[in-house]
Amino acid sequence: MAGGFAGARSELELIREIRQGFPAEVRGGCEVRLGIGDDCAILRTRRGWETVVTTDLTLEGRHFRRDLHPAVSVGHRCLARGLSDIAAMGAEPVAAFLSLGLPAASLRTAASRSWVAGFFRGLQALAQRYRVPLAGGDTGQVVGSEIIADIILIGQAPRGKALRRSGARAGDGIYVTGTLGGAAAELRDLMDGCLGRATGREPAGSRPQSFPEPRLELGRALRLRGDITSCMDLSDGLSTDLHHLCEASGVGAELRTASLPLHKLAFERADRLELALHGGEDYELLFTSAAALPKRLRGIAITRIGDVVKPRRGRPVVQMLDEAGARSELKPRGWEHFRR
Ligand SMILES: [Mg+2]
């Protein structure tokens, strides 16, 4: 399967198009000895490094809607989700593998074929930017009318050095990269019809729902510092993800809502705090450190949003301090896509 993509005749045509879309240097990165075209891909592991693997499912109706997300955005987001997990480990991407389930009509009509082409354009543009070869995958027809994409990312990190969720200690600062709430705010605007579909030509970072930016260089920089105690990416929303981090580390957290860096799409909304706390898909990094960190790293803003504290009676409680200094417990309430 891995190197394959083979199957029906129309799929072979599709694969030929995919291969042509990925230039040679991207098709075969230095760790990829054999990519698309054989039964398996062959990857080489750097001496003294270990492999990290992540898989992410992208489901139509759940993670994207064809009327809100153009095909190029769906391709971009599919790869961005995987790369964001690689970034969260401070790892370096080695190769991507993609399995695509398409409705029967997808390869027949011109409009559907152009959707598939757009999907690969989006995926390919991001793959080229981070020099991630697409080393294999599979395609198949789904029974229903909804598209399914599953991406697997292989990455690598020096042995024992990958960033994990489990090392936060009481007294560490809690930090996030970039801004929060933008992806959820953009989705609300798209659903309300007050924002048109993105094209991919907008200024970087202005459409965080349609074209999220994985923080690969920043994740690597955090790993190289050596003073980051825990790290993860924000995919489900800060409230949910911070609970995951606290559980993995066996600690609690104190969050200052006034410190949350808001994306400009979220900033003027009455529900901005809601979006920043519970709106998912920002794909920023959430991490902890006992060190005083700079305000920017690799050109990306770093904001301290709270502190790691001891657990309460063994429970990893997250407390929230609002602007008036009032305390409340923050429950995990991550974003549910397309909920109104
Ligand atoms: Mg993740």
Side-chain angles (χ1 to χ4, degrees), residues 212-224:
E213 201 53 55
R215 299 299 188 197
L216 274 169
E217 284 151 26
L218 192 59
R220 181 171 183 270
L222 292 177
R223 189 243 302 157
L224 289 170

Side-chain angles (χ1 to χ4, degrees), residues 54 56 81 84-85 88 165 232-235 241 283:
T54 176
D56 277 291
R81 292 178 64 195
S84 180
D85 282 330
R165 300 177 178 188
M232 69 181 294
D233 71 322
L234 288 168
S235 54
D241 290 329
Y283 298 110

Side-chain angles (χ1 to χ4, degrees), residues 190-251:
L190 285 166
M191 288 168 80
D192 292 341
C194 51
L195 198 60
R197 294 203 310 175
T199 61
R201 290 187 291 275
E202 296 84 1
S206 65
R207 299 297 293 262
Q209 164 67 220
S210 303
F211 294 95
E213 201 53 55
R215 299 299 188 197
L216 274 169
E217 284 151 26
L218 192 59
R220 181 171 183 270
L222 292 177
R223 189 243 302 157
L224 289 170
R225 286 183 61 90
D227 56 6
I228 304 304
T229 50
S230 71
C231 185
M232 69 181 294
D233 71 322
L234 288 168
S235 54
D236 295 337
L238 179 63
S239 67
T240 298
D241 290 329
L242 182 55
H243 270 91
H244 289 323
L245 189 141
C246 285
E247 262 166 35
S249 295
V251 296

Side-chain angles (χ1 to χ4, degrees), residues 60-77:
E60 181 172 5
R62 174 84 191 145
H63 301 106
F64 73 94
R65 267 174 42 180
R66 269 186 264 184
D67 60 330
L68 302 180
H69 302 87
V72 67
S73 151
V74 180
H76 174 105
R77 295 172 82 233

Side-chain angles (χ1 to χ4, degrees), residues 53-58 78 81-82 85 97 149-154:
V53 184
T54 176
T55 169
D56 277 291
L57 204 51
T58 296
C78 182
R81 292 178 64 195
D85 282 330
F97 295 82
D150 186 31
I151 193 124
I152 295 172
L153 259 294
I154 311 285

Side-chain angles (χ1 to χ4, degrees), residues 242-243 246-248 250-253 310-312 314-318 329:
L242 182 55
H243 270 91
C246 285
E247 262 166 35
V251 296
K310 289 186 182 141
R312 277 196 182 175
R315 271 184 66 225
V317 174
V318 178
E329 188 177 336

